[in-house]
mmCIF file of all heavy atoms in Angstrom:
data_model
loop_
_atom_site.group_PDB
_atom_site.id
_atom_site.type_symbol
_atom_site.label_atom_id
_atom_site.label_comp_id
_atom_site.label_asym_id
_atom_site.label_seq_id
_atom_site.Cartn_x
_atom_site.Cartn_y
_atom_site.Cartn_z
ATOM 1 N N CYS A 64 31.693 -14.696 -32.248
ATOM 2 C CA CYS A 64 32.058 -16.110 -32.282
ATOM 3 C C CYS A 64 32.275 -16.538 -33.737
ATOM 4 O O CYS A 64 31.497 -16.193 -34.621
ATOM 5 C CB CYS A 64 30.951 -16.949 -31.654
ATOM 6 S SG CYS A 64 31.277 -18.711 -31.731
ATOM 7 N N SER A 65 33.335 -17.293 -33.944
ATOM 8 C CA SER A 65 33.601 -17.753 -35.307
ATOM 9 C C SER A 65 33.125 -19.198 -35.490
ATOM 10 O O SER A 65 33.454 -19.863 -36.451
ATOM 11 C CB SER A 65 35.096 -17.640 -35.608
ATOM 12 O OG SER A 65 35.812 -18.388 -34.649
ATOM 13 N N GLY A 66 32.362 -19.667 -34.499
ATOM 14 C CA GLY A 66 31.927 -21.067 -34.507
ATOM 15 C C GLY A 66 30.841 -21.404 -35.511
ATOM 16 O O GLY A 66 30.459 -22.551 -35.623
ATOM 17 N N PRO A 72 26.954 -19.406 -29.014
ATOM 18 C CA PRO A 72 28.411 -19.274 -29.152
ATOM 19 C C PRO A 72 29.123 -20.576 -28.757
ATOM 20 O O PRO A 72 28.730 -21.226 -27.783
ATOM 21 C CB PRO A 72 28.745 -18.151 -28.178
ATOM 22 C CG PRO A 72 27.480 -17.411 -27.974
ATOM 23 C CD PRO A 72 26.377 -18.381 -28.157
ATOM 24 N N CYS A 73 30.165 -20.936 -29.530
ATOM 25 C CA CYS A 73 30.784 -22.249 -29.369
ATOM 26 C C CYS A 73 31.535 -22.411 -28.053
ATOM 27 O O CYS A 73 31.588 -23.494 -27.486
ATOM 28 C CB CYS A 73 31.740 -22.503 -30.534
ATOM 29 S SG CYS A 73 33.115 -21.342 -30.545
ATOM 30 N N GLY A 74 32.111 -21.314 -27.564
ATOM 31 C CA GLY A 74 32.866 -21.427 -26.322
ATOM 32 C C GLY A 74 34.282 -21.914 -26.529
ATOM 33 O O GLY A 74 35.070 -21.984 -25.575
ATOM 34 N N THR A 75 34.645 -22.261 -27.761
ATOM 35 C CA THR A 75 35.988 -22.816 -27.981
ATOM 36 C C THR A 75 36.845 -21.966 -28.919
ATOM 37 O O THR A 75 38.064 -22.113 -28.942
ATOM 38 C CB THR A 75 35.892 -24.242 -28.571
ATOM 39 O OG1 THR A 75 34.983 -24.219 -29.676
ATOM 40 C CG2 THR A 75 35.377 -25.226 -27.536
ATOM 41 N N CYS A 76 36.186 -21.065 -29.706
ATOM 42 C CA CYS A 76 36.981 -20.253 -30.629
ATOM 43 C C CYS A 76 37.790 -19.206 -29.853
ATOM 44 O O CYS A 76 37.565 -18.992 -28.666
ATOM 45 C CB CYS A 76 36.089 -19.609 -31.680
ATOM 46 S SG CYS A 76 35.044 -18.318 -31.019
ATOM 47 N N CYS A 79 35.545 -16.511 -28.230
ATOM 48 C CA CYS A 79 34.800 -17.011 -27.060
ATOM 49 C C CYS A 79 35.738 -17.166 -25.870
ATOM 50 O O CYS A 79 35.397 -16.779 -24.742
ATOM 51 C CB CYS A 79 34.147 -18.357 -27.374
ATOM 52 S SG CYS A 79 32.689 -18.213 -28.421
HETATM 53 ZN ZN1 ZN B 701 33.007 -19.088 -30.397
#
Side-chain angles (χ1 to χ4, degrees):
C64 177
S65 57
C73 64
T75 49
C76 70
C79 285

